[in-house]
Amino acid sequence: MSALIAEDEIVHEVDLVWLEDISRLDYVRQSLDRLPTRRGKPAYHRDGRMVGYAQLGPKAKPSRSSGTFRRRVFWLLPHDRDTAPDGLYATGAPAEAVDARTLAPGSKGYKTERSEGGPMSSATRERLP
């Protein structure tokens, strides 16, 4: 959850890799996942789709107990606003959602008027009849 992601948990990020054009998205969901590597595209095991992920620098240390790294993964569910503009999140956004354009390596991002259901993105407008 974005409110639960602390800056010290993402301090070793060196890059955010986007799999989609984030300028077309009003928000993305973010979570910290335990992954086996610092870099590279992680496996994705949720409904919906992964839209991006963080890559860590060489100073990132694995967990002593599991040997995994905590990395951010950015994703959307099938009922999110980009595919269901009149659905559950026609206004407002899920707790773990942030405006993707406010994200950067080591910065957790924040919600904006647009991510909360303010002016629609051009992508959402294009999908409307």
Side-chain angles (χ1 to χ4, degrees):
M1 311 273 173
S2 63
L4 301 178
I5 293 177
E7 297 287 338
D8 64 340
E9 293 180 296
I10 57 176
V11 69
H12 295 295
E13 290 180 348
V14 294
D15 193 20
L16 299 182
V17 177
W18 296 108
L19 305 173
E20 295 186 20
D21 179 1
I22 60 170
S23 70
R24 299 176 55 87
L25 301 171
D26 291 335
Y27 62 82
V28 296
R29 295 172 185 252
Q30 68 176 340
S31 60
L32 274 174
D33 291 0
R34 292 202 172 275
L35 300 170
T37 61
R38 288 181 183 92
R39 303 179 70 76
K41 184 178 176 182
Y44 184 72
H45 303 291
R46 294 178 178 89
D47 286 341
R49 67 191 194 275
M50 178 171 45
V51 296
Y53 56 90
Q55 300 206 75
L56 304 178
K59 293 183 181 179
K61 303 284 187 238
S63 164
R64 288 184 184 170
S65 60
S66 68
T68 59
F69 298 89
R70 287 177 56 89
R71 289 172 52 195
R72 280 193 295 177
V73 174
F74 307 100
W75 45 285
L76 290 167
L77 291 175
H79 61 273
D80 280 323
R81 191 180 312 139
D82 70 306
T83 53
D86 296 321
L88 178 62
Y89 295 110
T91 60
E96 68 273 15
V98 293
D99 186 334
R101 292 184 270 187
T102 67
L103 292 164
S107 174
K108 61 185 178 177
Y110 53 91
K111 291 188 178 185
T112 63
E113 179 181 341
R114 184 178 64 92
S115 69
E116 290 285 1
M120 283 188 195
S121 70
S122 59
T124 301
R125 281 194 301 273
E126 287 171 12
R127 287 192 171 99
L128 295 175

